[in-house]
Amino acid sequence: MFSGATTGVRSQHKLSALSPSSIASEQTYSGTHTFLRAPRVDRARAGDFAVLGIPLDIATSNRPGARLGPDAVRTASAQLAELKAYPGGFDPLSHVRIVDLGDALLDFGFPQTIPAAIEDAAFEIVSSGAFLCALGGDHFVSYPLLKAHARTHGPLTLIHFDAHPDTWTPRTGPDGSVEINHGTMFAQAIHDGLIDPKKSSQIGIRTWVDDPMGMNIFDSVAVADRGPNEIVAMVKALAGDSPCYLTVDIDCLDPAFAPGTGTPVMGGLTPRELLAMLRGLEDVRIVGCDVVEVAPAYDHGGITALAAATVVYEQACRLARKNGARADVYPWPGRAIPKGDDARAGQLGRM
């Protein structure tokens, strides 16, 4: 009887007309989750928006648990796949081939092999011509991801949303090895020539480091005082047309909005500020990205995972618009809506 009722509903209402293609055959709250219900594949190809999980949290200095972040972000993303994008009114899966490659295989019995394993997995995707968005994991994972992207694009401009600058000086061990953890990896990346600090920006910072290593820091107070649009204008002016790598530590948000993270810091960005700045980067040459530090054990109602999933979703929507997705906005009395898709897309950073 229940099955018959379901069949009746489907014959009366065409699901493909009511919901994006990503969930036309599954309920939002059931099934095996990939990001946005996208296909699970073994290999990326040119033009793909490829999602790769990096379940690592052995480089964190405070609360562990970010190894469970990729799974939590994928689960939260099912909600985003339920309706068309806002703003925009389109289904990004209709304009971008979004694929989920599962998680990188990391051998915790031999931790010294993990950085190379992450780099190799990422480079295989990047060298295929796909756009890689990695789900962390603690923020250390950005270091091997930067190495993989720099092998293709050369030195990168870093656009970094975080509570922490992550340029603390690495220590040197008795055997000459260099410490790299989730607070030192960008110092090492600058030292290795992976990042051009003069063009790079760190946004939302609210912890102190004695040597910022030439990075341009727009702290959370600056964002509150100047507003997202002015901050984005300065970030874009610094980056120019250089290849940019976007990294979003979810603790850039205030703990009120993202409690599920390892090192929360008071006084952070609001979700509206973060989204406005991400949308304002519409025409920046972003060649890869990651979203890190989601630790679901400390989350409440999945709001941190949802925030991280939304960051990834925004990148998928950005590429969809580049591929011709029509970006509509809601009208209201007195609101002038420019003609043309480019004009509509240009309004995103002001919403």
Side-chain angles (χ1 to χ4, degrees), residues 74-97:
R74 289 184 174 105
T75 300
S77 76
Q79 176 181 335
L80 300 175
E82 190 174 18
L83 299 171
K84 292 180 179 180
Y86 177 84
F90 58 84
D91 177 12
L93 284 94
S94 298
H95 300 272
V96 180
R97 184 175 184 261

Side-chain angles (χ1 to χ4, degrees), residues 9 29 32 62 66 68 96 109 117 123 176 178 202-203 211 232 240 250 254 259-260 265 309 338 347:
V9 169
Y29 50 84
T32 301
N62 195 20
L68 303 179
V96 180
F123 183 69
V178 177
Q202 299 182 303
I203 307 157
D211 182 5
V232 165
I250 206 62
D254 190 87
V265 182
Q347 296 187 73

Side-chain angles (χ1 to χ4, degrees), residues 85-212:
Y86 177 84
F90 58 84
D91 177 12
L93 284 94
S94 298
H95 300 272
V96 180
R97 184 175 184 261
I98 302 175
V99 296
D100 195 322
L101 289 98
D103 291 348
L105 183 60
L106 310 177
D107 192 339
F108 291 94
F110 297 92
Q112 69 276 14
T113 67
I114 289 177
I118 297 172
E119 180 183 347
D120 290 346
F123 183 69
E124 181 179 350
I125 297 167
V126 174
S127 61
S128 75
F131 180 91
L132 171 60
C133 184
L135 310 177
D138 67 51
H139 214 161
F140 166 80
V141 305
S142 291
Y143 177 72
L145 292 170
L146 283 167
K147 292 181 72 175
H149 285 80
R151 287 166 64 179
T152 297
H153 300 285
L156 300 158
T157 293
L158 189 71
I159 300 178
H160 173 205
F161 291 86
D162 205 326
H164 313 87
D166 296 337
T167 51
W168 283 280
T169 303
R171 298 172 297 168
T172 301
D175 60 351
S177 60
V178 177
E179 169 199 34
I180 308 179
N181 59 38
H182 76 159
T184 63
M185 72 287 176
F186 291 143
Q188 189 63 40
I190 294 170
H191 180 269
D192 293 345
L194 305 176
I195 295 172
D196 182 348
K198 299 186 300 299
K199 297 180 179 179
S200 298
S201 298
Q202 299 182 303
I203 307 157
I205 306 300
R206 50 196 186 275
T207 48
W208 188 259
V209 63
D210 288 331
D211 182 5

Side-chain angles (χ1 to χ4, degrees), residues 36-63:
L36 296 183
R37 303 285 200 186
R40 171 71 165 86
V41 301
D42 295 324
R43 189 178 298 274
R45 67 188 188 191
D48 286 352
F49 182 95
V51 176
L52 177 70
I54 315 288
L56 179 81
D57 62 7
I58 60 175
T60 187
S61 60
N62 195 20
R63 304 187 300 193

Side-chain angles (χ1 to χ4, degrees), residues 102-351:
D103 291 348
L105 183 60
L106 310 177
D107 192 339
F108 291 94
F110 297 92
Q112 69 276 14
T113 67
I114 289 177
I118 297 172
E119 180 183 347
D120 290 346
F123 183 69
E124 181 179 350
I125 297 167
V126 174
S127 61
S128 75
F131 180 91
L132 171 60
C133 184
L135 310 177
D138 67 51
H139 214 161
F140 166 80
V141 305
S142 291
Y143 177 72
L145 292 170
L146 283 167
K147 292 181 72 175
H149 285 80
R151 287 166 64 179
T152 297
H153 300 285
L156 300 158
T157 293
L158 189 71
I159 300 178
H160 173 205
F161 291 86
D162 205 326
H164 313 87
D166 296 337
T167 51
W168 283 280
T169 303
R171 298 172 297 168
T172 301
D175 60 351
S177 60
V178 177
E179 169 199 34
I180 308 179
N181 59 38
H182 76 159
T184 63
M185 72 287 176
F186 291 143
Q188 189 63 40
I190 294 170
H191 180 269
D192 293 345
L194 305 176
I195 295 172
D196 182 348
K198 299 186 300 299
K199 297 180 179 179
S200 298
S201 298
Q202 299 182 303
I203 307 157
I205 306 300
R206 50 196 186 275
T207 48
W208 188 259
V209 63
D210 288 331
D211 182 5
M213 299 190 70
M215 301 284 268
N216 300 284
I217 297 179
F218 303 98
D219 61 21
S220 60
V221 175
V223 175
D225 288 348
R226 299 293 189 93
N229 290 342
E230 188 173 339
I231 298 297
V232 165
M234 290 187 281
V235 170
K236 292 168 68 173
L238 289 166
D241 63 354
S242 62
C244 299
Y245 186 86
L246 173 68
T247 179
V248 179
D249 186 327
I250 206 62
D251 72 22
C252 69
L253 295 174
D254 190 87
F257 307 108
T261 191
T263 314
V265 182
M266 293 295 292
L269 305 177
T270 68
R272 188 180 297 124
E273 288 171 333
L274 176 59
L275 289 176
M277 288 184 282
L278 289 174
R279 292 167 184 165
L281 298 172
E282 179 83 9
D283 54 353
V284 174
R285 186 185 164 199
I286 299 173
V287 299
C289 69
D290 64 54
V291 182
V292 299
E293 297 285 359
V294 174
Y298 317 110
D299 207 359
H300 297 285
I303 61 173
T304 309
L306 178 60
T310 303
V311 170
V312 181
Y313 186 71
E314 286 294 326
Q315 293 308 300
C317 289
R318 179 179 63 84
L319 293 183
R321 287 188 291 270
K322 288 184 179 296
N323 288 345
R326 178 185 175 89
D328 279 323
V329 296
Y330 286 130
W332 64 64
R335 183 182 197 180
I337 301 179
K339 296 181 179 180
D341 295 342
D342 291 340
R344 286 187 171 93
Q347 296 187 73
L348 294 174
R350 299 190 295 275
M351 299 187 71

